[in-house]
Amino acid sequence: MGIAHARCNENGLTYLMIDDQDAHMEKTDFIHPILKQAQQELNEYFEKKCMQFTVPIDPEGTNFQKQVWQALRRIPHGHTCNYQDIAKEIADQNASRAVGSACGANPILIIIPCHRVIQKSGKIGNFSAGLGKKTTLLKLEGVCSVK
């Protein structure tokens, strides 16, 4: 799994997507300290040395999406929850579908860990980068209980 694209502004990482290549962010991207930190933490994550990301983030989205993304960052490494759990945490227990949409709109994969959100039934659910990548990330974190 490679990192295809990453962007930042002066406040933090704004975009991070993954692809199927074994490529990493282009060397020119490493000039900015935020991108350097993101690269270091992602490398440590894939080496199973990083359990929590500290790189600053600044994703663009609606207030609701940002609430969901903040809640996702509180899901511990190696754990999962479901869409309804996140909806309850942001005080709108009827917003499970909207939570799913916000997960699908996540602009900073892995660091905002939408891969840790599964269906209430225990099935893996969707992932904007593909179910294979979601499965890979969950296995990397030691989550074995997904269907």
Side-chain angles (χ1 to χ4, degrees):
M1 187 176 314
I3 304 303
H5 306 281
R7 291 191 297 267
C8 69
N9 61 28
E10 65 280 353
N11 298 318
L13 198 62
T14 59
Y15 184 80
L16 177 70
M17 289 294 143
I18 54 179
D19 71 9
D20 292 326
Q21 306 301 315
D22 288 330
H24 296 280
M25 291 182 274
E26 294 179 15
K27 290 180 182 177
T28 55
D29 289 341
F30 296 132
I31 294 169
H32 199 285
I34 290 173
L35 293 176
K36 285 182 181 183
Q37 181 180 353
Q39 178 201 23
Q40 179 182 347
E41 290 182 7
L42 285 163
N43 286 341
E44 291 173 359
Y45 171 82
F46 285 110
E47 294 169 1
K48 298 182 179 183
K49 296 177 183 175
C50 175
M51 303 268 221
Q52 185 172 346
F53 293 98
T54 60
V55 63
I57 65 169
D58 190 24
E60 290 186 23
T62 66
N63 287 337
F64 179 81
Q65 288 171 328
K66 289 178 182 183
Q67 279 186 295
V68 170
W69 299 335
Q70 288 172 0
L72 297 179
R73 292 197 80 192
R74 291 189 289 272
I75 304 169
H77 180 93
H79 292 83
T80 60
C81 67
N82 63 55
Y83 299 99
Q84 188 174 14
D85 294 334
I86 298 297
K88 286 178 184 175
E89 183 176 336
I90 62 171
D92 190 351
Q93 66 184 16
N94 297 316
S96 296
R97 287 181 189 229
V99 167
S101 293
C103 287
N106 176 7
I108 306 174
L109 296 184
I110 303 173
I111 293 173
I112 298 176
C114 58
H115 62 277
R116 295 179 187 156
V117 183
I118 62 173
Q119 295 176 352
K120 192 173 184 178
S121 66
K123 292 184 179 178
I124 196 166
N126 294 319
F127 188 55
S128 62
L131 295 181
K133 290 180 188 76
K134 184 172 184 171
T135 301
T136 298
L137 292 170
L138 291 172
K139 285 182 180 177
L140 178 74
E141 293 186 15
V143 177
C144 302
S145 61
V146 293
K147 299 175 185 177

